Amino acid sequence: MKRLQEDITIKQTSKRPKTNQSPLLWGGVGGGLVILFILNLFEGSISIPARDVISILIGQADGIKPSWQYIVLESRLPQAITALLSGGALAVSGLMLQTAFRNPLADPSIFGISSGAGLGVALTMLLLGGSLSVGSLQLGGFVAVIVAAFAGAMAVTAVIFAFSTIVKNNVMLLIIGIMIGYISSSAIALLNFFATDEGVKSYMVWGMGSFGGVTMRHMPVFASATLLGIMAAMLLIKPLNALMLGDRYAENLGISIRRTRNLLLAATGLLTAITTAFCGPISFIGLAVPHVTRLLLRTDNHRLLLPGTLLCGSAVALLCNLICFMPGERGVIPLGAVTPLMGAPVIIYVIMKGRK
């Protein structure tokens, strides 16, 4: 009987015919993702012949400039992998929050998690002079920024998690998250006011966002944490499908609403914290990509929607990273200036469609 109810849930959560979810569509999304990943390896502010890029990647770099080898292996390759993982992580986080809180405008930043990461970085850069001391351990530079951002994001996640055990109403929990974000933003503004010009400039550079902050030395930590969060999200597919039909229906299927919500917050907090710590605040990917995926797949079944959102998020992040290098040798466009241009039109479309 329980199995039958679960099957009914999955069928009812799909709003459009299954014929639109053809292998051709999935092949197109996957093919586009591969093409964008390859373009990120071949394109950049420094022009490198495609033949030399291929030789470097396959380990036959004899006679090729050492500087070109460094650019491909230590800059472009980790940057492409970071965009691939970060885009998928943020998009999946946005999808889970939009489903759980039944709010089409929910995304990882709405709970103040990104603001918490920003507050941690602001405390380090603007108040502590760019270094952290933990007992006898002294951290400085990029490592201090990563640790501070991760600690700030997870601290806000812990606060939201604590409130989730008290507040049962999803809307009230959403409002609490927004208020925590406002508090963090106010604290950052005060720190900027009293900080030095150099500290403010350093913080602004971090706040613009970039996929170039993860080196190959840091990649194992970044990739492992991100993949762990994505795997946790995959385990929530069945509860998310049940939540689409309401809390009472989900409880009738034996799903604990509070436990599901807490697991969702933990997975979202981990994905947002690790991404923001290494890449800075990245807006609109978590907000817009789930809607794009729904338009493409024409379904609300998370067995299809969540993997689709993961692929689309990675593709959008790779596209944004590619656009950042379009000026060529004239410079690199900040990532924070590109993602709103991609995401804002989607949100405007969703709002106008909702009015109709």
Side-chain angles (χ1 to χ4, degrees), residues 13-304:
T13 52
S14 181
K15 292 183 177 180
R16 306 287 177 86
K18 191 176 181 180
T19 54
N20 291 322
Q21 299 149 4
S22 63
L24 182 62
L25 178 61
W26 285 97
V29 174
L33 182 62
V34 172
I35 292 172
L36 286 169
F37 186 86
I38 294 173
L39 287 175
N40 272 265
L41 298 178
F42 283 85
E43 297 295 329
S45 56
I46 302 297
S47 179
I48 302 176
R51 182 181 300 175
D52 291 337
V53 173
I54 295 173
S55 298
I56 293 170
L57 291 173
I58 64 177
Q60 298 178 0
D62 295 338
I64 299 177
K65 295 179 181 180
S67 59
W68 287 1
Q69 297 180 40
Y70 180 85
I71 289 171
V72 173
L73 297 178
E74 298 297 330
S75 178
R76 292 185 184 179
L77 180 59
Q79 199 162 343
I81 296 173
T82 301
L84 184 79
L85 294 174
S86 298
L90 292 173
V92 165
S93 297
L95 173 65
M96 291 192 296
L97 290 174
Q98 289 171 14
T99 300
F101 293 93
R102 299 188 187 89
N103 189 332
L105 300 180
D107 81 322
S109 62
I110 199 169
F111 281 102
I113 300 174
S114 298
S115 298
L119 179 58
V121 174
L123 288 170
T124 302
M125 288 185 174
L126 306 178
L127 188 64
L128 302 177
S131 62
L132 288 173
S133 297
V134 183
S136 59
L137 181 63
Q138 186 79 16
L139 301 176
F142 181 67
V143 176
V145 172
I146 292 175
V147 173
F150 186 79
M154 292 308 294
V156 171
T157 302
V159 173
I160 297 294
F161 190 87
F163 275 111
S164 71
T165 62
I166 303 171
V167 180
K168 295 183 178 181
N169 189 290
N170 285 339
V171 176
M172 293 297 104
L173 188 61
L174 202 64
I175 293 174
I176 290 172
I178 294 172
M179 293 303 106
I180 291 174
Y182 279 130
I183 293 171
S184 300
S185 299
S186 298
I188 293 170
L190 289 173
L191 289 170
N192 274 299
F193 181 80
F194 291 105
T196 62
D197 293 341
E198 184 179 352
V200 172
K201 184 178 180 180
S202 298
Y203 181 77
M204 287 184 64
V205 170
W206 176 84
M208 290 179 180
S210 172
F211 291 127
V214 184
T215 64
M216 291 305 291
R217 183 164 59 93
H218 298 125
M219 185 58 69
V221 176
F222 174 78
S224 299
T226 305
L227 291 174
L228 179 64
I230 292 174
M231 288 174 61
M234 292 294 181
L235 295 176
L236 292 171
I237 287 178
K238 189 181 294 184
L240 287 171
N241 270 338
L243 288 175
M244 290 293 299
L245 298 176
D247 292 351
R248 184 172 297 179
Y249 192 91
E251 288 175 349
N252 289 337
L253 292 177
I255 294 173
S256 172
I257 302 300
R258 179 171 295 183
R259 180 173 175 270
T260 300
R261 187 174 61 180
N262 290 344
L263 290 173
L264 184 145
L265 285 173
T268 302
L270 175 62
L271 290 172
T272 307
I274 196 70
T275 302
T276 308
F278 280 90
C279 307
I282 302 172
S283 59
F284 280 98
I285 290 181
L287 183 59
V289 171
H291 296 293
V292 174
T293 310
R294 288 188 184 97
L295 291 174
L296 289 174
L297 298 181
R298 300 185 179 185
T299 182
D300 284 327
N301 184 355
H302 285 73
R303 292 186 186 276
L304 298 171

Side-chain angles (χ1 to χ4, degrees), residues 284-330:
F284 280 98
I285 290 181
L287 183 59
V289 171
H291 296 293
V292 174
T293 310
R294 288 188 184 97
L295 291 174
L296 289 174
L297 298 181
R298 300 185 179 185
T299 182
D300 284 327
N301 184 355
H302 285 73
R303 292 186 186 276
L304 298 171
L305 189 58
L306 199 146
T309 300
L310 180 65
L311 294 177
C312 288
S314 297
V316 169
L318 287 168
L319 177 60
C320 290
N321 191 58
L322 194 62
I323 293 173
C324 289
F325 290 98
M326 274 191 170
E329 296 180 359
R330 289 179 293 177

